[in-house]
Amino acid sequence: MASNSLPVPGSSITNNTANSHESTPLLPSTALDDHGHRDASNRVAHQGESGRSGFHPYPFLTMLWRSSCTASMLVNLLWPFAPVAMVLHFLPGLHLCKFVTAYIAVIPSANLLGFAGQEFARKMPKVLGILIKTMFGSIIEIILFVLLISKHEPDAARGNGAEGNLIPIIQAAILGSILTNLLLCLGLCFFFGGLRRASQKFHAIVSEVGTSLLLFAAFGLLIPSAFYSALREEAFPDLPGLRIRHEKFTERRLQDDVLRISQATSIALIVAFFLYIWYQASSQHSIFDEVIEMDEHRGADRQADMEKPKFTMTETLLAIAMSLALVTLLLVFLVDKIEHVVESGVPDRFLGLILLPLVEKAAEHLTAIDEAWADGVINVVLYHCLGPSIQTALFNGPLVVLVGWAMGKPMDLNFDIFMICLLLLSTLVVRKFLRDGESNWLEGALLVIVYVIIANASWYYPNLRVAISNGLQRGQDLRMIDVSMTVDTFRQLQQLNKGLGRQ
């Protein structure tokens, strides 16, 4: 009987065969069933082959409707919202209706993109295929972040209001994407998988590598915040209309330094992400080869999945192009109405931490939950939850900082204390639950409850995007004056000015 334990990367695979060594395939090409006959799955074409070529409309549309699983097929019932969103976009007013319809329409569009990416990944080598599936799961997030930073107005936060200042929403969306994967998606997978199985055991290497990388990414993301928090009390306040000679370390200087640190940190994190990708792709016995592929072969519906109709390469590329164009268009509609949603009373932290990550990840999460419920492939599910979180922290978030840098927009990684605590505590909670190498429905329920607590707190978190008016008009003639006073006196003067500005 084969051992249930799986080797770690780089270790040799041991079995009872004397000639077995490190190059022995983990999954032999010829498998036998319990009666000594060749496994039926080997009589089916390779999982990426369709047996057809070119484009065939009826099979193409049929496979689009069936999608990858039952949950994804049900998501396709939301397609009517897509044309409604397009029609509403050209009508005056109705801002909240436009946002809601575009929000719902993104879900089936994202589902289509994920399914097309999955079909494309099937046709690639195993390691590359899994990386491609992870990448396609993050394309929507990257598009959303780029659209948000494009709409941001650099001078909005320095003016007399918050209109156009979208950086707090982007920062919240970065961390919200990580938290949605770690708490909500993983929790629901543990819960629904645990309802059918008393205990779900996963390989320690998936959880250890995943949570270790998340802790590393959290460290990198929080360095600019720590730098700012440590020095903000030492910085000399900036009071519009008053210039102080001989004082170099001002709040404006501190913010500029934080921006530079964020940009350098982003480059370092992206380098770390590509090193991680290279390691996984080049390791002879990587996570994918040793654990995830084994899990997929043990899946309850492995046989049915192998026999499903598949796209041709032409159909795959067409589905990717269609879904990508549609998702981008709907996200443009969505981002265009974000300011109206905030003005209607929805807190920007709730919008960034909860609403935006939910819509961009909805289809992907439903697929992961279906895998946990129907297939019981817990290692695959675990990686589908941890992998996108790692990519958001190491690549997607830092990428938007560099895009903002290229556009001349001050996007940084200076998160507030509230979000810092959320990221660190959530990572530690998930690491604790994964430590014993198994999960159950109770642990899943607890992770979902933690997410609900965070959602509730973010709803009551006040909008801090409104810059307080100081009563000085832009363009007013500013004269250089020499003053001598203590920092405490100056802070009191600043508070007095703020109080006058509110009146």
Side-chain angles (χ1 to χ4, degrees), residues 172-173 176-177 180 351-362 365 451:
S177 177
T180 302
L351 183 66
L353 278 172
I354 307 300
L355 292 184
L356 293 181
L358 277 180
V359 70
E360 71 181 64
K361 300 288 187 181
H365 289 175
Y451 183 80

Side-chain angles (χ1 to χ4, degrees), residues 53-251:
S53 61
F55 175 72
H56 305 271
Y58 181 74
F60 176 73
L61 295 175
T62 301
M63 280 183 280
L64 284 184
W65 170 253
R66 291 178 180 173
S67 197
S68 58
C69 62
T70 303
S72 295
M73 185 173 67
L74 294 176
V75 167
N76 288 329
L77 296 174
L78 300 176
W79 271 115
F81 283 91
V84 171
M86 294 180 188
V87 172
L88 286 179
H89 180 72
F90 296 100
L91 298 179
L94 303 173
H95 300 299
L96 290 183
C97 290
K98 292 177 180 179
F99 178 85
V100 171
T101 52
Y103 186 90
I104 297 175
V106 167
I107 298 175
S109 306
N111 180 62
L112 173 58
L113 181 60
F115 177 60
Q118 176 180 311
E119 287 293 304
F120 184 66
R122 285 174 180 267
K123 304 178 186 301
M124 299 293 111
K126 191 64 185 179
V127 173
L128 181 59
I130 291 180
L131 297 178
I132 287 174
K133 280 199 289 188
T134 303
M135 179 193 70
F136 270 93
S138 296
I139 284 180
I140 299 175
E141 185 172 275
I142 293 174
I143 294 173
L144 177 62
F145 289 168
V146 171
L147 290 175
L148 285 171
I149 194 63
S150 299
K151 188 175 174 60
H152 170 73
E153 297 177 10
D155 296 329
R158 298 174 185 174
N160 293 331
E163 186 177 356
N165 180 22
L166 299 180
I167 284 181
I169 293 180
I170 301 173
Q171 292 175 335
I174 292 172
L175 297 190
S177 177
I178 299 173
L179 298 180
T180 302
N181 283 313
L182 287 183
L183 299 176
L184 181 63
C185 183
L186 187 60
L188 290 176
C189 289
F190 282 177
F191 179 78
F192 285 103
L195 290 180
R196 301 187 71 175
R197 301 160 189 87
S199 177
Q200 302 175 98
K201 295 186 178 181
F202 44 83
H203 200 273
I205 193 171
V206 180
S207 60
E208 284 298 321
V209 172
T211 54
S212 296
L213 280 169
L214 280 174
L215 284 174
F216 164 78
F219 171 83
L221 287 176
L222 301 181
I223 286 297
S225 304
F227 180 87
Y228 179 81
S229 298
L231 295 176
R232 65 179 176 181
E233 294 298 329
E234 305 298 327
F236 202 80
D238 291 304
L239 182 63
L242 192 62
R243 298 181 182 177
I244 309 300
R245 289 179 176 177
H246 312 302
E247 182 56 55
K248 297 181 179 179
F249 192 66
T250 62
E251 289 182 351

Side-chain angles (χ1 to χ4, degrees), residues 154-161 467 470-478:
D155 296 329
R158 298 174 185 174
N160 293 331
N470 51 45
L472 296 175
Q473 301 296 323
R474 288 185 180 181
Q476 181 179 348
D477 181 32
L478 303 179

